[in-house]
């Protein structure tokens, strides 16, 4: 049988070659002759036999042999971070502009996060996280790459900050609402042990999930507004257990009766917060419904218009006529709704309240029963009064001030960069920039990060747009 060339030996075959070598070695021949005999017996080259022998390093265990070229499982990328770490990353970028008056590179940012929050991810993991937070890479005129926050997200944050500052100046109570959860097995992962099998153990499963809904302000949690119930689904997302009907019932029965007069209720962008009370017709709606909607909104149209023309008119006006069900409910009681900008849980103090509640539960939960968890949540909520909530709200005001200050600094710092493509365009160039993040190359020496959207400037002399 002729010797095969260009064939990759798998680890079982490599183990067999090594076993043949070991058997022939026991016959008393010198190493050179044994290698040649092994090569002839196994129909492999002498150089391959030598590589296998060197690979074994005196061990005949199967584990030491690896199939050449076989793809190994990579270390899991660090992308599953909680809302607090997400907020820390965003604030780190904002503060970097202020303290250093320069655009941070990914490498500098990763080192800073390592110091601040012990971030252990790689630079590629950090880039993925930034994309999840609403940032993206764009190419500038000088071929450098910037991580730019989407313009609509930045605009929503700016508008939110302006509104909440205005409401505070008017003396209106700001009430923050949110939903969270805690598992019945939620407990501390550490305890004293003497090495024996006794002592406190931790459940392998998460157990029953308890959903928490509440609201709070500088005066503390809103009285009688706490809602606790067992999760009814196994999806792993507590939002699946909260739909509009449940939320509306809580809003009407527990929150509204206990709100201070003329309150501003801050909510996030969960789907049940954004149910529209009078949604605009879709492209497949009947023509009569399209006309009816336009008439109700007092938008002029031609009776001879066809459906595509009517729908185009609806699309042009539907945003300004969009109304939400909870806004209508609260406005009927002289309250207002203010929505947090996307990816900004750090602007809601109740997130820190959830952390305090879960920390209390983990320190007291030793029997992992749902009833005990509910009892512990109620205990912690009862003792979190105005002093603690005042500190949380003050911290949020400081974060808001950082955002306001950094937005001005970022505008000054990024004026030197000229972006070819408009932020809101999904061009082929932009898609190719996104692909660059995953090609395995290290761009960190040329990448800088900014959290603003730079508008396209007029072409300079000697450049093309």
């Amino acid at each position: 049988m002729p010797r095969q060339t260009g064939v990759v030996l798998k680890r079982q075959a490599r183990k067999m070659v090594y076993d043949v070598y070991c058997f022939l070695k026991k016959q008393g021949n010198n190493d050179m002759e044994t290698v040649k005999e092994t090569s002839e017996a196994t129909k492999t080259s002498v150089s391959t036999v030598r590589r296998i022998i060197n690979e074994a390093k005196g061990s005949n265990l199967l584990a030491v042999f690896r199939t050449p070229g076989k793809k190994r499982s990579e270390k899991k990328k660090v992308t599953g971070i909680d809302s607090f770490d997400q907020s820390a990353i965003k604030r780190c970028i904002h503060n970097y502009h202020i303290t250093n008056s320069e655009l941070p590179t990914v490498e500098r940012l990763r080192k800073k996060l390592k110091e601040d929050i012990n971030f252990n991810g790689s630079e590629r993991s950090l880039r993925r996280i930034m994309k999840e937070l609403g940032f993206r890479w764009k190419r500038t005129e000088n071929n450098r790459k910037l991580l730019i926050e989407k313009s609509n997200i930045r605009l929503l944050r700016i508008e939110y900050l302006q509104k909440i500052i205005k409401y505070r100046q008017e003396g209106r109570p700001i009430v923050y609402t949110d939903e969270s959860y805690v598992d019945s097995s939620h407990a501390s992962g550490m305890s004293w042990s003497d090495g024996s099998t006794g002592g406190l153990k931790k459940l392998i499963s998460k157990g029953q999930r308890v959903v928490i809904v509440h609201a709070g302000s500088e005066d503390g949690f809103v009285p009688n507004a706490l809602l606790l119930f067992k999760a009814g689904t196994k999806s792993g997302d507590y939002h699946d257990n909260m739909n509009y009907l449940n939320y509306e019932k809580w809003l009407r029965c527990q929150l509204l009766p206990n709100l201070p007069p003329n309150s501003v209720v801050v909510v996030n962008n969960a789907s049940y917060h954004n149910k529209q009370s009078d949604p605009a017709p879709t492209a497949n709606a009947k023509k009569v419904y399209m006309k009816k909607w336009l008439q109700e909104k007092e938008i002029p149209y031609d009776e001879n218009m066809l459906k595509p023309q009517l729908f185009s008119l609806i699309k042009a006006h539907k945003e300004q006529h969009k109304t939400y069900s909870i806004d209508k409910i609260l406005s009927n009681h002289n309250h207002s709704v203010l929505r947090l900008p996307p990816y900004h849980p750090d602007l809601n103090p109740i997130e820190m309240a959830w952390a305090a509640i879960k920390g209390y539960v983990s320190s007291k939960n030793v029997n992992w029963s749902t009833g005990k968890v509910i009892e512990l949540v109620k205990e912690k909520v009862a003792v979190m009064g105005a002093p603690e909530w005042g500190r949380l709200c003050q911290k949020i005001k400081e974060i808001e001030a950082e955002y306001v200050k950094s937005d001005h600094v970022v505008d000054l710092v990024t004026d030197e960069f000229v972006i070819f493509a408009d932020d809101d365009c999904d061009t082929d160039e932009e898609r190719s920039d996104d692909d660059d993040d995953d090609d395995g190359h290290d761009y960190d020496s040329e990448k800088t990060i900014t959290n603003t959207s730079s508008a396209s400037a007029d072409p300079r002399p000697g450049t093309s747009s």
Side-chain angles (χ1 to χ4, degrees):
M1 179 179 178
R3 179 178 291 122
Q4 296 181 352
T5 59
V7 177
V8 176
L9 296 181
K10 296 185 177 181
R11 68 173 190 166
Q12 292 89 346
R14 299 171 79 83
K15 174 66 166 54
M16 183 193 69
V17 171
Y18 183 71
D19 288 343
V20 172
Y21 167 79
C22 292
F23 175 79
L24 295 176
K25 184 71 174 176
K26 294 178 181 179
Q27 307 303 317
N29 296 332
N30 60 44
D31 188 75
M32 179 65 72
E33 293 177 349
T34 304
V35 169
K36 289 182 179 179
E37 291 176 356
T38 303
S39 173
E40 293 174 358
T42 58
K43 303 301 181 183
T44 56
S45 66
V46 172
S47 59
T48 298
V49 174
R50 290 196 179 278
R51 281 196 298 270
I52 293 174
I53 295 171
N54 292 332
E55 184 180 355
K57 297 293 184 181
S59 172
N60 62 354
L61 296 177
L62 182 63
V64 303
F65 297 100
R66 294 180 179 271
T67 303
K70 185 175 181 180
K71 186 176 180 180
R72 307 296 167 189
S73 58
E74 297 180 359
K75 184 178 180 181
K76 187 176 180 180
K77 300 177 179 63
V78 180
T79 54
I81 59 175
D82 58 26
S83 59
F84 293 100
D85 287 342
Q86 291 177 357
S87 302
I89 291 174
K90 293 175 73 69
R91 289 201 298 273
C92 181
I93 299 173
H94 284 271
N95 293 337
Y96 201 97
H97 294 119
I98 297 173
T99 57
N100 296 68
S101 296
E102 64 179 356
L103 299 173
T105 63
V106 177
E107 181 181 4
R108 292 172 186 166
L109 178 60
R110 189 178 71 86
K111 290 180 180 179
K112 177 67 174 173
L113 291 171
K114 175 67 176 177
E115 297 173 359
D116 292 351
I117 62 172
N118 195 29
F119 178 78
N120 293 319
S122 65
E123 291 167 9
R124 294 190 68 183
S125 292
L126 181 57
R127 287 196 290 271
R128 284 185 172 86
I129 292 170
M130 296 308 300
K131 282 188 176 181
E132 293 176 1
L133 294 178
F135 291 78
R136 56 183 175 176
W137 292 108
K138 296 295 287 290
R139 193 176 298 279
T140 61
E141 184 179 5
N142 59 1
N143 208 33
R144 297 183 70 186
K145 299 185 77 178
L146 296 175
L147 187 57
I148 301 176
E149 191 173 22
K150 293 179 181 178
S151 59
N152 63 320
I153 294 176
R154 190 183 180 213
L155 176 61
L156 289 172
R157 181 180 68 242
I158 293 171
E159 292 177 343
Y160 170 85
L161 294 174
Q162 291 175 344
K163 288 179 181 178
I164 199 167
I165 291 172
K166 174 177 173 290
Y167 288 142
R168 289 199 187 104
Q169 292 173 346
E170 295 173 352
R172 299 184 64 179
I174 309 296
V175 179
Y176 299 89
T177 69
D178 195 21
E179 306 81 35
S180 189
Y181 71 92
V182 60
D183 296 319
S184 61
S185 63
H186 187 67
S188 175
M190 304 291 291
S191 66
W192 290 104
S193 173
D194 59 359
S196 65
T197 57
L200 183 65
K201 296 181 176 61
K202 189 173 182 179
L203 288 178
I204 298 176
S205 66
K206 292 183 178 180
Q208 178 71 53
R209 175 159 291 182
V210 176
V211 178
I212 315 170
V213 186
H214 214 339
S217 67
E218 289 183 336
D219 297 327
F221 279 113
V222 175
N224 304 315
L226 175 62
L227 173 63
L228 293 165
F229 63 91
K230 298 178 183 179
T233 68
K234 298 181 180 179
S235 67
D237 187 353
Y238 65 92
H239 287 105
D240 292 342
N241 300 281
M242 196 71 184
N243 53 35
Y244 176 74
L245 293 178
N246 290 337
Y247 186 79
E248 182 187 5
K249 182 179 179 181
W250 172 79
L251 186 70
R252 290 183 181 275
C253 299
Q254 293 185 249
L255 184 62
L256 268 174
N258 300 291
L259 278 177
N262 199 26
S263 292
V264 176
V265 179
V266 179
V267 300
N268 59 25
N269 290 278
S271 59
Y272 40 83
H273 297 157
N274 294 334
K275 181 179 181 295
Q276 295 185 43
S277 58
D278 183 21
T282 64
N284 296 323
K286 292 184 177 180
K287 193 173 183 179
V288 63
Y289 294 140
M290 292 184 177
K291 290 183 176 181
K292 180 182 178 182
W293 188 87
L294 291 170
Q295 290 171 359
E296 291 175 349
K297 309 306 177 187
E298 298 181 351
I299 301 172
Y301 66 93
D302 192 327
E303 284 290 343
N304 296 322
M305 281 184 171
L306 300 176
K307 285 182 66 174
Q309 294 173 306
L310 291 172
F311 182 66
S312 177
L313 195 59
I314 290 172
K315 284 201 303 182
H317 293 85
K318 68 177 183 179
E319 284 299 323
Q320 65 192 75
H321 293 283
K322 185 180 291 185
T323 56
Y324 299 103
S325 298
I326 66 170
D327 296 43
K328 190 173 182 180
I329 294 171
L330 288 165
S331 65
N332 290 337
H333 294 79
N334 298 319
H335 302 299
S336 302
V337 174
L338 181 59
R339 283 173 172 77
L340 287 163
Y343 312 109
H344 286 75
D346 53 334
L347 294 176
N348 193 345
I350 205 169
E351 294 286 352
M352 292 183 281
W354 295 146
I357 291 171
K358 292 180 181 181
Y360 181 81
V361 171
S362 67
S363 67
K364 301 283 187 178
N365 188 19
V366 294
N367 58 9
W368 312 301
S369 70
T370 306
K372 183 62 177 178
V373 167
I374 292 176
E375 178 185 336
L376 292 172
V377 171
K378 291 180 178 179
E379 286 179 7
K380 183 59 178 176
V381 168
V383 299
M384 290 186 69
E388 187 166 356
W389 261 94
R391 290 191 293 270
L392 298 182
C393 291
Q394 180 58 38
K395 177 62 177 177
I396 293 302
K397 292 178 183 178
E398 294 172 1
I399 295 174
E400 292 171 357
E402 290 176 3
Y403 275 124
V404 172
K405 184 177 180 180
S406 66
D407 275 331
H408 291 287
V409 176
V410 168
D411 278 352
L412 295 175
V413 174
T414 56
D415 271 348
E416 61 181 286
F417 296 99
V418 180
I419 307 299
F420 281 135
D422 185 81
D423 283 346
D424 295 328
C425 296
D426 187 15
T427 62
D428 292 337
E429 180 181 358
E430 179 181 339
R431 286 192 292 270
S432 67
D433 286 345
D434 290 338
D435 293 340
D436 287 344
D437 286 340
D438 298 322
D439 63 3
H441 295 292
D442 186 6
Y443 298 102
D444 293 321
S445 61
E446 297 185 358
K447 284 184 178 177
T448 51
I449 298 177
T450 178
N451 59 347
T452 183
S453 56
S454 301
S456 298
D458 292 333
R460 298 176 183 174
T463 63
S464 58
S465 59

